[in-house]
Amino acid sequence: MSILINPDKLQFHLQTRKASYVFQVMPSGHLVHLYYGKKLRDTDLGWLHVRTERASFSPNPVPEDRTISFDTLAQELPVYGTSDFRHPSVQLQLANGSMITEFTYVGHRLEQGKPVLEGLPATYVESADEADTLVIELEDRVAGVRIELSYTAFDKFNAITRSMRVINDSATAVNLVRALSMSVDFPHDQYELLHLSGAWTRERDVVRRALASGMQGVESRRGASGHQQNPFLALLTPGTDEDHGEVYGFSLVYSGSFTAQAEVDQFKTTRLSMGINPFDFSWKLDSGEAFQTPETVMVYSDTGLDGMSQSFHELYRERLARGRFRNAERPVLVNNWEATYFAFNADKIEQIARAGKKLGIELFVLDDGWFGHRDSDNSSLGDWFVDKSKLPAGLEDLANRVTGLDMQFGLWFEPEMVSPDSELYKAHPDWCLHVPDRRRTEGRQQLVLDFSRQDVRDEIVRMLSDVLGSAPISYVKWDMNRNMTEVGSALLPADRQRETAHRYMLGLYDVMERVTSSFPHILFESCSGGGGRFDPGMLYYMPQTWTSDNTDAISRLRIQYGTSLVYPVSSMGSHISAVPNHQVNRITSLEIRGHVAMSGNFGYELDLTRFTEEENEIVKAQVELYKEIRGTIQFGTFRRLLSPFEGNETAWMFTSPDGSEVVVFYFRVLSEPNAPLQRLKLKGLDPEADYRLKGGSETFTGDALMYGGIAVGAAKGDYLSEMFRFERV
């Protein structure tokens, strides 16, 4: 068992391969946090809880014992209003209007394996011995409300997950206004905060700053995780780098509005918490009803950021992503979006597909514009039937033309949206999110369908299923191109309107579950204007995400590097596009565009029919090369070597699962005059093994490659890239 319980002291010790997490029940019934960090063997850590009297502005719930104050107590379930002035995990408004609650221990249970979170994406087990789950039951006897705190320890994956379930056992309704998934109190503030921030076409910049007194963190109020902030936060000990230092990483398995925050209090302790954003959220719990929060995945590393990333990568690749494509090599594709935008017909699509087939490409994806009367982005979303002016013989005819070339056929959808200029909206104007007597703000001349409604979800599932069943489709790009405004539902009563955004997410997960399970042979890729919803919740239903609408190779160095802190390479879509690049107007070589795109799920986003013979030969070689190395790229061990956030160079490497192949990419943005000679040190090799450079006879020892390095950057010119491929001998 990876969870040790001291029944006499009611002390709970969760262990993973590298970490320990310990808490216990106080005599008062409250849960006190004792330790989170490097794995310990000590079976009694109660001595870590130090009681001392503080100033009078830290009140005492037990007046006769002034050494106890919730204002100073490290808690597993903090609440507000009973002497803890820091931000709480849970808040309820009771029938009498009071916001005061106090939850104390009433019992626990220990289970092998991991229960499913009903209606929510979550990590999972394939056998009961992969993890242990501890459920702590607490109760507020005055309110008649119970809370179950769930902790799962994944020993092999070096991760702990946490979530909370709130159950109303009282005879009257209560209003849940704050329900975070987890909270951890750290004993000091000597940490740096790391998060992934950005914007559309500039997703997941690595931002790092020292903790300061007060509140700091990230959040989304957009109804989606968003381009701007990712539902991830990490605490780092000062001086931590890729390979050294302690890291505490927290990742929320949720795709809606979230909060991730750290509060440094007057005593220099740090409270880190994460969950559904309480902004504009509430949930009415009638008698007998329960509310389940999403789960947070917690990873501890004492080997720097790389150690954290390896744990997230392995867990999310193996026990978050699901289905037949979880461990299947992903096809090389071509997408027609930047080649044609909305201006295409069946013959043009077939021409691109034929050109792709000659180059060895395996999948053609028809992007936006095939449905309704969609000649621009101002109409037809919701009308999921074929535009006969573009495809007069229908979708099946086009798909058969492509599959007749021995290629797979894929299709783009944006199922969550509706255009005011559409048959669906004209028939059902109340089916979008809206508030009576208020304007309906449009983004890209579209509105958000109300997925909190069962009738809306059923109709979307029906339409998508009809299309997906009508032709030999093996891939779907599921897009979402605007965030929520006027968040309201025509079917919810006034006292439940603030449930709309979360009910939407539950509805979206329901639609995705029904569609993906009905078509298990289809590879689904999620997208939201690129990386606007690149989060663990999406990976549960769709094993890969379009990483960014920005396909510029130099921009992608930062985007893919930042994304890799949490997400495995198998989840990243990465394509070569035309130059000048359509997002930043930069001109780069096919070589560097290829090396960057090969560092993910590889494809092309341009008009293949425009290639010169020389370009055709280059692309044909790229496709052939990627097919040889994609098992290593998609499912090997990824390590970062040089950061684009720290200088002019970027480098990363991939080691195959069996260690037999190593692929290294080095990138230099700008050329420098009379630059120093550079050596790139590799990581994670067997120091006792020998490695041969592919295509040559030269052999290197593993220790020499790691501690001596390989020469890079000798060539002149901007936007330089180099690839090295080693075989273990």
Side-chain angles (χ1 to χ4, degrees):
M1 296 291 285
S2 54
I3 299 178
L4 309 176
I5 300 176
N6 183 327
D8 297 327
K9 297 188 176 183
L10 285 179
Q11 189 175 114
F12 305 92
H13 186 161
L14 288 76
Q15 292 182 326
T16 69
R17 191 172 71 249
K18 297 181 180 179
S20 285
Y21 188 100
V22 188
F23 63 94
Q24 74 176 32
V25 181
M26 294 176 63
S28 62
H30 299 90
L31 300 183
V32 59
H33 177 78
L34 298 177
Y35 176 83
Y36 182 30
K38 192 174 178 67
K39 187 173 183 177
L40 304 176
R41 59 183 177 84
D42 199 328
T43 57
D44 185 2
L45 295 169
W47 53 271
L48 286 172
H49 173 45
V50 177
R51 290 166 52 172
T52 184
E53 182 179 354
R54 290 288 190 176
S56 59
F57 282 93
S58 294
N60 311 112
V62 183
E64 59 271 20
D65 188 349
R66 295 172 65 174
T67 68
I68 300 176
S69 174
F70 296 144
D71 196 29
T72 61
L73 188 68
Q75 297 178 72
E76 289 295 296
L77 182 68
V79 297
Y80 182 81
T82 60
S83 77
D84 187 346
F85 298 98
R86 296 163 291 178
H87 63 268
S89 283
V90 61
Q91 283 185 291
L92 294 119
Q93 185 175 32
L94 307 180
N96 62 4
S98 166
M99 300 284 287
I100 305 301
T101 55
E102 189 167 356
F103 292 91
T104 54
Y105 171 87
V106 294
H108 70 271
R109 62 182 184 270
L110 186 60
E111 305 175 15
Q112 266 201 311
K114 184 175 188 289
V116 172
L117 294 190
E118 185 178 354
L120 285 166
T123 55
Y124 60 89
V125 297
E126 290 192 338
S127 62
D129 60 358
E130 289 184 352
D132 296 319
T133 297
L134 172 69
V135 179
I136 302 291
E137 186 175 334
L138 305 106
E139 183 181 31
D140 183 321
R141 292 178 175 84
V142 174
V145 176
R146 285 183 297 121
I147 285 180
E148 292 181 345
L149 299 181
S150 291
Y151 303 76
T152 297
F154 286 91
D155 179 55
K156 172 189 172 184
F157 296 103
N158 191 41
I160 295 171
T161 68
R162 287 190 57 180
S163 66
M164 177 175 69
R165 184 173 176 84
V166 183
I167 307 107
N168 181 15
D169 287 333
S170 73
T172 59
V174 298
N175 198 32
L176 184 63
V177 297
R178 187 182 186 95
L180 302 187
S181 298
M182 54 72 60
S183 179
V184 179
D185 286 344
F186 291 86
H188 59 82
D189 66 345
Q190 297 304 298
Y191 297 106
E192 293 177 292
L193 192 70
L194 185 147
H195 52 93
L196 302 175
S197 303
W200 175 68
T201 67
R202 186 172 46 78
E203 295 90 344
R204 289 171 297 287
D205 274 1
V206 179
V207 180
R208 182 170 170 173
R209 51 197 166 104
L211 279 184
S213 179
M215 292 290 296
Q216 51 245 282
V218 296
E219 66 175 343
S220 169
R221 298 184 295 274
R222 295 172 169 268
S225 49
H227 298 85
Q228 294 71 21
Q229 306 292 348
N230 199 259
F232 160 79
L233 210 60
L235 293 181
L236 287 60
T237 52
T240 292
D241 59 19
E242 274 294 308
D243 304 300
H244 307 92
E246 291 187 293
V247 182
Y248 299 86
F250 302 86
S251 176
L252 184 66
V253 187
Y254 188 62
S255 309
S257 297
F258 72 92
T259 186
Q261 54 195 14
E263 179 181 8
V264 176
D265 71 0
Q266 58 188 328
F267 304 115
K268 305 299 182 184
T269 66
T270 301
R271 174 169 291 173
L272 192 141
S273 58
M274 177 177 280
I276 296 172
N277 199 332
F279 177 86
D280 201 32
F281 164 84
S282 68
W283 195 274
K284 183 180 178 182
L285 281 176
D286 284 326
S287 177
E289 290 185 339
F291 181 88
Q292 174 66 56
T293 72
E295 77 174 12
T296 293
V297 177
M298 305 172 12
V299 166
Y300 167 79
S301 165
D302 64 350
T303 55
L305 290 166
D306 177 71
M308 177 197 72
S309 295
Q310 298 306 331
S311 294
F312 276 127
H313 290 181
E314 190 177 6
L315 179 67
Y316 283 177
R317 186 174 58 233
E318 297 293 332
R319 293 297 180 267
L320 180 64
R322 301 177 298 161
R324 67 174 62 178
F325 294 100
R326 184 186 73 179
N327 298 319
E329 291 185 356
R330 313 293 165 74
V332 180
L333 66 83
V334 59
N335 181 299
N336 73 296
W337 178 240
E338 290 192 17
T340 66
Y341 293 102
F342 296 101
F344 62 83
N345 56 33
D347 291 339
K348 178 61 178 177
I349 295 303
E350 184 179 357
Q351 289 172 15
I352 297 174
R354 284 187 179 277
K357 176 61 180 177
K358 292 178 182 178
L359 299 173
I361 293 173
E362 300 159 308
L363 165 66
F364 177 86
V365 179
L366 178 62
D367 210 282
D368 196 356
W370 58 268
F371 53 92
H373 55 95
R374 181 86 161 170
D375 295 319
S376 68
D377 60 9
N378 63 5
S379 75
S380 302
L381 291 174
D383 293 345
W384 299 114
F385 49 83
V386 175
D387 182 355
K388 291 296 183 70
S389 67
K390 293 179 183 176
L391 305 176
L395 193 62
E396 185 178 16
D397 168 73
L398 179 60
N400 286 335
R401 291 201 209 182
V402 173
T403 57
L405 301 171
D406 194 26
M407 293 181 73
Q408 300 174 59
F409 180 73
L411 199 61
W412 178 97
F413 284 96
E414 192 171 1
E416 301 164 62
M417 301 294 151
V418 64
S419 302
D421 180 11
S422 68
E423 293 184 17
L424 182 68
Y425 185 77
K426 291 169 185 174
H428 302 284
D430 64 327
W431 276 18
C432 67
L433 296 178
H434 68 281
V435 174
D437 304 319
R438 298 290 181 184
R439 68 165 179 269
R440 301 183 180 190
T441 302
E442 297 179 14
R444 299 176 81 246
Q445 292 179 289
Q446 61 193 60
L447 299 166
V448 183
L449 285 171
D450 183 1
F451 270 31
S452 74
R453 296 176 54 151
Q454 184 73 45
D455 54 349
V456 174
R457 300 199 302 272
D458 288 347
E459 179 61 13
I460 293 300
V461 169
R462 183 195 67 78
M463 287 193 288
L464 295 188
S465 298
D466 286 349
V467 174
L468 296 178
S470 70
I473 296 168
S474 59
Y475 169 99
V476 164
K477 182 178 179 181
W478 183 302
D479 209 347
M480 189 280 282
N481 282 305
R482 66 153 294 183
N483 294 139
M484 296 181 183
T485 58
E486 293 84 46
V487 183
S489 174
L491 293 191
L492 290 176
D495 60 352
R496 289 190 179 271
Q497 284 297 320
R498 293 179 69 184
E499 300 176 12
T500 303
H502 182 59
R503 286 187 180 274
Y504 176 97
M505 290 313 309
L506 296 177
L508 174 61
Y509 292 147
D510 169 57
V511 170
M512 287 184 166
E513 180 68 29
R514 290 157 66 185
V515 173
T516 58
S517 61
S518 295
F519 297 92
H521 66 284
I522 293 179
L523 170 60
F524 286 85
E525 178 178 85
S526 67
C527 176
S528 176
R533 205 163 57 185
F534 203 128
D535 60 65
M538 289 292 106
L539 291 183
Y540 182 75
Y541 302 97
M542 303 181 184
Q544 63 187 57
T545 299
W546 180 226
T547 313
S548 177
D549 277 349
N550 187 348
T551 50
D552 170 61
I554 305 307
S555 299
R556 274 297 189 107
L557 293 175
R558 293 168 65 100
I559 293 168
Q560 291 173 208
Y561 187 100
T563 303
S564 77
L565 259 71
V566 183
Y567 304 99
V569 170
S570 61
S571 68
M572 292 189 229
S574 186
H575 299 168
I576 291 175
S577 62
V579 292
N581 177 265
H582 291 194
Q583 288 78 43
V584 299
N585 209 40
R586 193 178 350 247
I587 297 176
T588 54
S589 69
L590 261 175
E591 182 179 50
I592 191 171
R593 281 179 278 159
H595 288 162
V596 174
M598 284 184 202
S599 301
N601 296 324
F602 184 54
Y604 293 83
E605 193 112 1
L606 40 68
D607 190 346
L608 301 176
T609 65
R610 294 189 169 189
F611 278 151
T612 65
E613 283 305 311
E614 180 183 5
E615 289 172 328
N616 277 329
E617 291 305 311
I618 294 173
V619 170
K620 189 174 182 179
Q622 286 177 333
V623 172
E624 183 178 351
L625 171 62
Y626 187 75
K627 289 178 180 178
E628 293 178 9
I629 64 174
R630 65 177 155 191
T632 296
I633 299 295
Q634 295 173 1
F635 302 108
T637 300
F638 172 82
R639 286 188 169 90
R640 298 174 293 268
L641 304 177
L642 294 173
S643 170
F645 296 95
E646 297 176 1
N648 190 43
E649 300 166 298
T650 304
W652 47 56
M653 63 179 282
F654 305 82
T655 305
S656 63
D658 63 2
S660 65
E661 181 177 57
V662 178
V663 180
V664 183
F665 292 104
Y666 166 82
F667 309 94
R668 188 184 67 206
V669 177
L670 298 178
S671 184
E672 297 181 26
N674 205 20
L677 299 177
Q678 299 289 333
R679 286 197 170 273
L680 181 66
K681 296 180 180 181
L682 308 189
K683 296 179 181 179
L685 304 182
D686 181 350
E688 302 299 322
D690 293 334
Y691 296 84
R692 179 182 295 119
L693 190 62
K694 184 81 171 178
S697 58
E698 194 171 4
T699 299
F700 305 84
T701 62
D703 54 357
L705 289 172
M706 290 192 291
Y707 310 130
I710 53 176
V712 294
K716 295 185 183 341
D718 296 338
Y719 313 137
L720 170 74
S721 69
E722 298 179 69
M723 175 183 171
F724 304 88
R725 188 178 173 192
F726 296 94
E727 295 175 307
R728 181 171 175 167
V729 295

